[in-house]
Amino acid sequence: MPNPYFSNLGDFLYVNRTRDGRSEGDYSLVKNLFKRAKLREDVYQDLSFFTKFDVLGDDRPDNVADLVYGDPTLDWVVLLSNNIVNVQSEWPLSQADFNRYITEKYDSEEILYSGIHHYEAIEQKYKGNVVVSGGMKVDEAYQYVTPEGLTLTKAQSRVGITNYTYEIDINEKKREINLIKPDLIPQFNQMFKEKMRFKPSTKFINEKRRIA
């Protein structure tokens, strides 16, 4: 089934050229793959538009679209809802791809599982109130000093995050995505079509076509 995303893109009349770069005077009709739409960051705060979704296992964008919208060809809506351009680097890796990625990135299992990527502060409280948030990145020498002037040991102040834990966390965070609510898909699709239309210019033919 053809993906409707491409039917929403405008067309270029691209001039055909010879090997030496001269124009042949003929044109080829090509899709304008350079034109993209992007959602403003503040839009994500409007819960009336979006719903939160966790990508499970090895699900791809088309699997998620089929599950949520009943139409796998709406995978572009899933991606656009999160401003994802590069699926390989911005979508959660499957287990097989993740294992391959970390194996190729790190030279040995020792570096992967025992090597420290960075350190994070351990949560500290004073009189029931949090004064240091856990998870804050700190350097290796970091030691927390209490309001009473007591200096805690490094082991009491920060924890080392291994390369493996770091890579796992990065991949898992990609599983938390936003999705346009199903009942808003018709309006979203119309808004996207309008965004993709060409505006009048010297090379303008119509809203769906222009000369490159």
Side-chain angles (χ1 to χ4, degrees):
M1 181 186 299
N3 194 305
Y5 173 80
F6 295 102
S7 65
N8 290 325
L9 297 180
D11 297 318
F12 272 145
L13 284 177
Y14 192 81
V15 63
N16 293 328
R17 298 183 182 277
T18 60
R19 290 185 177 180
D20 60 6
R22 294 180 180 179
S23 172
E24 295 179 349
D26 295 328
Y27 291 88
S28 293
L29 189 65
V30 296
K31 282 292 181 185
N32 180 19
L33 299 179
F34 300 101
K35 191 174 180 66
R36 296 183 184 276
K38 182 179 181 180
L39 297 180
R40 300 194 317 270
E41 291 299 323
D42 62 294
V43 174
Y44 292 117
Q45 308 305 317
D46 193 335
L47 299 181
S48 64
F49 289 115
F50 293 96
T51 183
K52 299 293 183 179
F53 185 87
D54 290 326
V55 179
L56 301 178
D58 295 347
D59 276 349
R60 305 183 307 269
D62 59 318
N63 300 141
V64 173
D66 192 26
L67 177 64
V68 177
Y69 304 124
D71 184 353
T73 67
L74 289 178
D75 52 356
W76 64 274
V77 174
V78 174
L79 298 177
L80 188 55
S81 295
N82 297 275
N83 285 331
I84 291 177
V85 176
N86 189 330
V87 177
Q88 290 186 325
S89 63
E90 298 177 81
W91 188 263
L93 295 172
S94 67
Q95 190 61 54
D97 288 339
F98 178 78
N99 291 339
R100 188 180 305 110
Y101 167 75
I102 59 176
T103 299
E104 293 176 352
K105 182 174 180 178
Y106 297 95
D107 294 333
S108 68
E109 289 191 357
E110 182 179 359
I111 294 175
L112 173 61
Y113 294 106
S114 301
I116 300 299
H117 184 275
H118 66 274
Y119 290 88
E120 294 182 1
I122 296 173
E123 181 182 87
Q124 306 291 343
K125 292 184 177 181
Y126 181 68
K127 294 183 177 180
N129 298 315
V130 175
V131 291
V132 175
S133 298
M136 178 180 65
K137 283 189 177 182
V138 295
D139 57 36
E140 187 277 336
Y142 172 76
Q143 289 179 262
Y144 173 66
V145 180
T146 69
E148 290 85 3
L150 176 66
T151 300
L152 301 187
T153 66
K154 291 181 181 179
Q156 294 172 316
S157 305
R158 87 297 187 265
V159 61
I161 304 301
T162 66
N163 291 314
Y164 181 74
T165 299
Y166 168 76
E167 297 294 352
I168 284 285
D169 288 345
I170 290 296
N171 199 53
E172 289 304 303
K173 286 178 181 177
K174 294 177 184 178
R175 297 187 180 280
E176 303 169 4
I177 65 174
N178 299 297
L179 290 179
I180 297 290
K181 292 184 176 179
D183 59 323
L184 296 178
I185 288 298
Q187 298 95 307
F188 182 78
N189 192 38
Q190 184 59 37
M191 290 170 59
F192 180 73
K193 287 181 179 179
E194 293 175 358
K195 188 69 176 178
M196 291 297 103
R197 289 172 180 167
F198 290 123
K199 296 180 180 179
S201 68
T202 56
K203 297 182 179 181
F204 179 82
I205 297 177
N206 57 47
E207 292 178 340
K208 292 285 291 181
R209 186 169 299 176
R210 58 165 287 184
I211 299 173

